[in-house]
Amino acid sequence: MENLKEKVKRICILGSGGREYAIGWAFKKFGFDVYFYPGNAGTKNIGKNIQINNFDELSNFDMVIPGSEEFLVKGIADGKANVFGPDSKGARLEGSKCFAKTFMKKHGILTANFQIATDEISLYDALKAFKPPYVIKADGLAQGKGVVICDTFDEAMDIGQKLIKGQLIPNVKGPVVVDEFLKGWELSAIAIVNGTDFALLPFTRDYKRAFTNNEGPNTGGMGAFGPVEIDSKLKEKIKNLFSKTLNGLKEDGIYYRGFLYIGLMIVNDEPYVLEYNVRLGDPETEVIVAMDPGKFVENILKAFNNERFEEYTPNNYSVDVVLASQGYPENPMKGQEIYIENDECEDWMIFYAGVTEKDGKLLVNGGRVLHSIGIGKTLSQAREKAYRNIEKVKFEGMFYRNDIALYQGE
């Protein structure tokens, strides 16, 4: 690690959530100077929150890690060698569901059958091509809320039209993807990419529905665990999906480095691509970092410096339980005071997300407020610590799922 510090010392992490806190926590742990823009009330305790007036100021840092996809879609990495992320062309994999699905079809990447709808007539025709339940995906960035599953045709028509017209999600309008519904189990696969090669990070599983037993609306993620162990045949199939994706990008003249996240649905031992993300996932990052922060940091630095980096087996299991605010994801309560007895020990910790500070008090400032992390040599140990840790946290309207890491299948 010390020799890697000779090239990279000052690191700026872009974003304000638990993912960004976790990345910064790992780099801080190994002696790097960590800065956050804009950060949150927790990140200032492990680094320095800064203000940036324009992105040219990022040249002051040895390495910039964008946490949020919005920075990448807006071109934060365009022409900047110190930004570890794809340029705006590569970011279209996440920035446009229509682009991503068309890309997959062009390059023979296994995904659900789909049609693209741009108006009421094409939406009707697209939905008629599939059986319920109907899966409708907004084309643009929707903060994890752009996928809607409808049980009836009429509901799907209503939701689809609202998405197209921009009446469902603020600042999101335009074409939608109508996907075939796939029944299986979900898996998050994330790789570090240096422009030519990739190495998988440990597999994780996240939980999208707001409430226990997979009830309630989809969210950005209510918790996760890892590593998820899979058989060698499935792993090779997943690696092949990454290879096909990177080869496809190269064929299309797109240079890609940073993180590549593939959301998978495993159907009869076949991995189907649900979506691409062009950055680390949230809450998957919190779990990956906690499992083995040293290997996480080392591999990022090696990829950034174009040195040999490789897949690793983590030392521990970890579990992340999201502590959310009442009303999340639609309209979360904000402003409540947060009480935390202790935020870090040897094998459990709190990662800060939707929090702010006023007059020395920690306040709720978002839907996903805190991440309770447990680490253990077994999954059950990690799970027990993550839930026991929650007893040290209180704020009005706090809720969480009680089945994180209890089972793998939906």
Side-chain angles (χ1 to χ4, degrees):
M1 189 79 76
E2 289 303 317
N3 62 319
L4 294 171
K5 290 182 183 177
E6 295 175 5
K7 299 179 181 178
V8 176
K9 180 65 176 175
R10 287 164 49 88
I11 295 165
C12 183
I13 298 162
L14 306 180
S16 60
R19 165 183 51 204
E20 290 77 29
Y21 182 98
I23 297 168
W25 174 84
F27 276 94
K28 184 69 174 180
K29 190 177 180 70
F30 293 96
F32 293 85
D33 295 333
V34 181
Y35 299 81
F36 297 91
Y37 170 74
N40 61 45
T43 56
K44 70 181 183 63
N45 296 323
I46 56 172
K48 183 178 180 181
N49 292 351
I50 60 172
Q51 287 297 316
I52 293 175
N53 298 312
N54 63 74
F55 289 145
D56 289 338
E57 296 176 30
L58 295 174
S59 62
N60 297 323
F61 300 97
D62 300 319
M63 180 167 64
V64 177
I65 301 177
S68 167
E69 63 279 6
E70 290 187 26
F71 293 107
L72 293 162
V73 170
K74 291 177 180 176
I76 189 73
D78 292 4
K80 292 184 174 64
N82 68 331
V83 177
F84 192 59
D87 64 16
S88 54
K89 291 181 180 179
R92 284 185 296 169
L93 283 178
E94 181 170 2
S96 169
K97 290 288 192 296
C98 295
F99 173 84
K101 293 291 285 192
T102 304
F103 173 88
M104 287 183 246
K105 184 177 181 179
K106 175 183 177 182
H107 295 289
I109 296 163
L110 191 60
T111 188
N113 293 324
F114 72 97
Q115 291 194 24
I116 293 173
T118 57
D119 54 29
E120 183 178 353
I121 295 173
S122 57
L123 176 64
Y124 180 91
D125 292 339
L127 290 171
K128 280 296 183 182
F130 298 102
K131 297 177 180 179
Y134 302 97
V135 181
I136 305 174
K137 298 180 177 180
D139 179 53
L141 297 178
Q143 289 77 49
K145 303 168 190 173
V147 179
V148 184
I149 299 173
C150 304
D151 292 324
T152 69
F153 184 87
D154 289 344
E155 181 190 9
M157 278 295 296
D158 179 57
I159 293 293
Q161 288 181 80
K162 286 179 178 176
L163 279 173
I164 291 170
K165 295 175 182 177
Q167 298 172 347
L168 195 66
I169 302 171
N171 304 315
V172 176
K173 65 181 294 185
V176 297
V177 173
V178 178
D179 248 352
E180 174 189 12
F181 180 81
L182 297 176
K183 188 171 179 59
W185 58 280
E186 290 190 45
L187 181 68
S188 301
I190 307 175
I192 298 174
V193 183
N194 72 349
T196 53
D197 301 317
F198 73 93
L200 290 174
L201 288 165
F203 292 109
T204 57
R205 164 75 200 281
D206 75 331
Y207 295 72
K208 293 294 188 188
R209 297 279 187 165
F211 308 123
T212 300
N213 296 324
N214 293 314
E215 297 179 356
N218 271 340
T219 71
M222 289 297 295
F225 73 91
V228 175
E229 297 170 10
I230 62 174
D231 66 58
S232 58
K233 287 183 179 179
L234 177 57
K235 189 172 184 178
E236 284 306 309
K237 290 177 180 178
I238 293 171
K239 284 185 175 181
N240 188 46
L241 291 175
F242 277 94
S243 295
K244 280 188 171 184
T245 299
L246 295 176
N247 288 336
L249 288 166
K250 186 177 180 180
E251 286 176 23
D252 292 349
I254 298 172
Y255 177 79
Y256 194 105
R257 75 166 185 165
F259 303 101
L260 179 60
Y261 171 122
I262 302 183
L264 298 164
M265 181 69 77
I266 313 301
V267 183
N268 298 324
D269 296 324
E270 290 294 334
Y272 287 75
V273 178
L274 294 177
E275 65 175 356
Y276 289 117
N277 290 335
V278 297
R279 37 69 188 179
L280 287 164
D282 189 346
E284 294 93 340
T285 302
E286 290 86 329
V287 168
I288 291 168
V289 165
M291 280 190 272
D292 199 330
K295 284 293 185 182
F296 174 78
V297 168
E298 182 181 341
N299 264 14
I300 291 175
L301 291 171
K302 285 182 175 179
F304 180 76
N305 292 325
N306 283 317
E307 299 177 20
R308 178 182 172 85
F309 65 108
E310 56 192 22
E311 185 181 333
Y312 62 90
T313 300
N315 295 324
N316 298 292
Y317 287 85
S318 65
V319 172
D320 172 12
V321 181
V322 171
L323 308 183
S325 184
Q326 181 179 323
Y328 177 71
E330 289 93 349
N331 187 29
M333 289 176 60
K334 295 181 181 181
Q336 314 94 292
E337 187 172 357
I338 304 167
Y339 303 92
I340 302 177
E341 184 179 320
N342 188 6
D343 65 1
E344 186 168 343
C345 194
E346 183 179 349
D347 50 8
W348 58 259
M349 65 213 60
I350 295 291
F351 286 164
Y352 292 75
V355 296
T356 189
E357 190 177 38
K358 185 176 181 181
D359 299 328
K361 296 179 179 180
L362 194 64
L363 306 176
V364 172
N365 192 42
R368 292 188 293 181
V369 182
L370 301 165
H371 297 255
S372 179
I373 310 293
I375 304 168
K377 292 300 179 184
T378 67
L379 183 60
S380 61
Q381 284 179 358
R383 183 177 189 275
E384 191 272 333
K385 289 169 184 174
Y387 277 98
R388 187 176 60 193
N389 192 21
I390 295 172
E391 298 172 6
K392 303 178 185 298
V393 180
K394 292 180 182 178
F395 61 86
E396 182 187 355
M398 183 177 85
F399 78 94
Y400 55 91
R401 286 183 57 155
N402 62 25
D403 59 349
I404 305 300
L406 193 59
Y407 54 83
Q408 287 196 32
E410 282 284 356

